[in-house]
Amino acid sequence: MTEWTDALWASLPIPALILDAEDCIRDVNPAAEAFLNASKKSLNGYPVWDKIFVDAPLEDSFARVRTAQAPLFVNSVDVGTGSRKPVACDVQITSLADKPDHVLVLLESRDLQGRMDRAMSSKTAAKSAIGMAEMLAHEIKNPLAGITGAAQLISMNVSGEDRELTDLIVAETRRILKLLEQVEDFGNIRPPDRRAVNIHDVLDRASKSAAVGFAAHMQILDDYDPSLPATWADPDQLLQVVLNLLKNAAEAGAAGGTIRLRTFYELSLKVRRRDGSGGAVPLQIEVVDDGPGIPADMAEDVFEPFVSGRENGTGLGLALISKIIADHDGWISMESVPGRTVFRISLPIAPKEAAQ
């Protein structure tokens, strides 16, 4: 390969493999190394079927591509390895012009794209729901304040059970006012003031604050990749996101439980936006807790506004997080089983000129 083709090969956001005439691996890009959890050196020269498990007869597809010298697409194929469970992928196979007996195999995860599409859909739904909620909040706050004032005046001239009832009215109206203010604050989130940000500085600030406050009953551990470059983000908004995730984990966890903050680099991740453009989001942050997990019937909708698994929860925290991350050209996903819940944030790298 020439220098520019080497750079193009390395920057491909999806796993790519080159196979020779015997279906042995002759080259893989960094995204394929991450997908297969193996280095290029440990893969080169081995039969592809020793390293990948596929639920479709791709040997016939490889032969057809070599014979016809035309690309072939195979949709929704489960692809797995010895170290990871199968992932639904779309497979593209094409021959190489300079080596007709070699084939290029591209693997695009349908699960990843589906999660990103759902995230974009969630953002649109959030905007619509919050727009209506903002209007209602504005209209309700004034009469509600009047009810609160009237109840306080009445409480000054009563006692006993009647005083308890007026106190209840005041407490509940104040709770509703607080919720309405949160709805208004959600809609008023300003565009991010983005700059080069060290994500570990943000995580350290958040964990220290949590450790002496709402997460004092839990142990917060870190598992950082110190080599990560800066991200392109608003540090205050990113801090708000991490604090919200830590608070959720702390509220779900029991005394003595563990919250783990992990960072790593995954070159293969790329967001596709609604306008068709896209960008790599290789910087990964995970907030992992060992709490009871999120109910399966809520898992698909956790980033929707007003969805909450807690009593008296507003359901705005995760919707707000999703909105902020989407405004940063990133995305967020969640996986949960009893005893392990993972929120994963993917963010872009800061431009070179901004990081210097």
Side-chain angles (χ1 to χ4, degrees), residues 98-176:
D98 57 338
K99 295 180 179 179
D101 60 347
H102 284 45
V103 294
L104 170 66
V105 182
L106 302 175
L107 306 173
E108 182 171 5
S109 168
R110 294 173 66 90
D111 178 61
L112 172 62
Q113 190 59 60
R115 278 183 284 164
M116 289 191 287
D117 288 343
R118 287 195 297 272
M120 296 302 292
S121 175
S122 175
K123 180 183 176 184
T124 302
K127 282 186 176 181
S128 300
I130 291 300
M132 180 172 290
E134 275 188 280
M135 180 184 67
L136 290 174
H138 180 74
E139 296 298 324
I140 292 172
K141 281 180 68 177
N142 287 337
L144 201 60
I147 294 171
T148 304
Q152 288 174 321
L153 288 174
I154 294 172
S155 70
M156 296 171 62
N157 300 306
V158 297
S159 59
E161 292 183 0
D162 291 338
R163 179 67 177 268
E164 291 179 4
L165 290 174
T166 56
D167 288 347
L168 176 62
I169 293 172
V170 171
E172 287 301 296
T173 51
R174 284 176 173 170
R175 184 179 67 83
I176 296 171

Side-chain angles (χ1 to χ4, degrees), residues 43-345:
L43 294 169
N44 278 357
Y46 284 88
V48 67
W49 310 121
D50 288 355
K51 302 297 181 180
I52 299 179
F53 307 102
V54 183
D55 70 347
L58 291 187
E59 300 97 322
D60 295 340
S61 300
F62 295 159
R64 288 169 57 190
V65 168
R66 292 186 180 102
T67 300
Q69 291 294 293
L72 184 66
F73 297 85
V74 183
N75 293 324
S76 193
V77 173
D78 285 342
V79 180
T81 70
S83 59
R84 68 179 298 169
K85 64 182 181 180
V87 176
C89 294
D90 291 335
V91 182
Q92 180 178 347
I93 310 163
T94 187
S95 59
L96 300 183
D98 57 338
K99 295 180 179 179
D101 60 347
H102 284 45
V103 294
L104 170 66
V105 182
L106 302 175
L107 306 173
E108 182 171 5
S109 168
R110 294 173 66 90
D111 178 61
L112 172 62
Q113 190 59 60
R115 278 183 284 164
M116 289 191 287
D117 288 343
R118 287 195 297 272
M120 296 302 292
S121 175
S122 175
K123 180 183 176 184
T124 302
K127 282 186 176 181
S128 300
I130 291 300
M132 180 172 290
E134 275 188 280
M135 180 184 67
L136 290 174
H138 180 74
E139 296 298 324
I140 292 172
K141 281 180 68 177
N142 287 337
L144 201 60
I147 294 171
T148 304
Q152 288 174 321
L153 288 174
I154 294 172
S155 70
M156 296 171 62
N157 300 306
V158 297
S159 59
E161 292 183 0
D162 291 338
R163 179 67 177 268
E164 291 179 4
L165 290 174
T166 56
D167 288 347
L168 176 62
I169 293 172
V170 171
E172 287 301 296
T173 51
R174 284 176 173 170
R175 184 179 67 83
I176 296 171
L177 280 169
K178 185 176 180 181
L179 171 60
L180 296 176
E181 289 170 357
Q182 288 179 328
V183 171
E184 289 184 321
D185 289 344
F186 185 103
N188 291 330
I189 291 293
R190 57 176 171 76
D193 180 14
R194 300 171 74 175
R195 66 196 76 169
V197 175
N198 183 326
I199 61 175
H200 298 134
D201 289 344
V202 173
L203 294 176
D204 285 342
R205 285 177 59 193
S207 63
K208 288 176 182 177
S209 177
V212 298
F214 54 78
H217 63 293
M218 301 188 75
Q219 184 179 17
I220 302 178
L221 306 176
D222 62 71
D223 180 11
Y224 296 163
D225 179 349
S227 68
L228 293 187
T231 188
W232 188 236
D234 182 317
D236 293 333
Q237 290 190 7
L238 195 56
L239 178 64
Q240 182 181 3
V241 165
V242 178
L243 282 171
N244 280 359
L245 291 177
L246 286 173
K247 186 174 183 180
N248 285 350
E251 290 175 347
T258 299
I259 302 173
R260 184 179 299 275
L261 293 172
R262 179 182 176 225
T263 63
F264 58 101
Y265 193 86
E266 189 164 330
L267 182 64
S268 62
L269 293 184
K270 187 175 183 180
V271 167
R272 187 186 69 194
R273 306 188 186 98
R274 287 193 176 276
D275 62 3
S277 64
V281 285
L283 303 184
Q284 311 299 311
I285 302 171
E286 287 186 346
V287 180
V288 186
D289 71 70
D290 56 4
I294 295 173
D297 59 348
M298 284 182 52
E300 288 291 324
D301 301 318
V302 292
F303 297 111
E304 298 286 351
F306 311 116
V307 174
S308 177
R310 297 196 307 271
E311 185 177 358
N312 295 325
T314 64
L316 291 178
L318 290 177
L320 175 62
I321 288 172
S322 177
K323 182 177 187 293
I324 291 174
I325 295 301
D327 288 345
H328 281 76
D329 299 321
W331 67 284
I332 183 169
S333 63
M334 184 277 300
E335 295 179 1
S336 183
V337 296
R340 178 178 169 82
T341 297
V342 183
F343 282 91
R344 180 174 176 181
I345 299 169

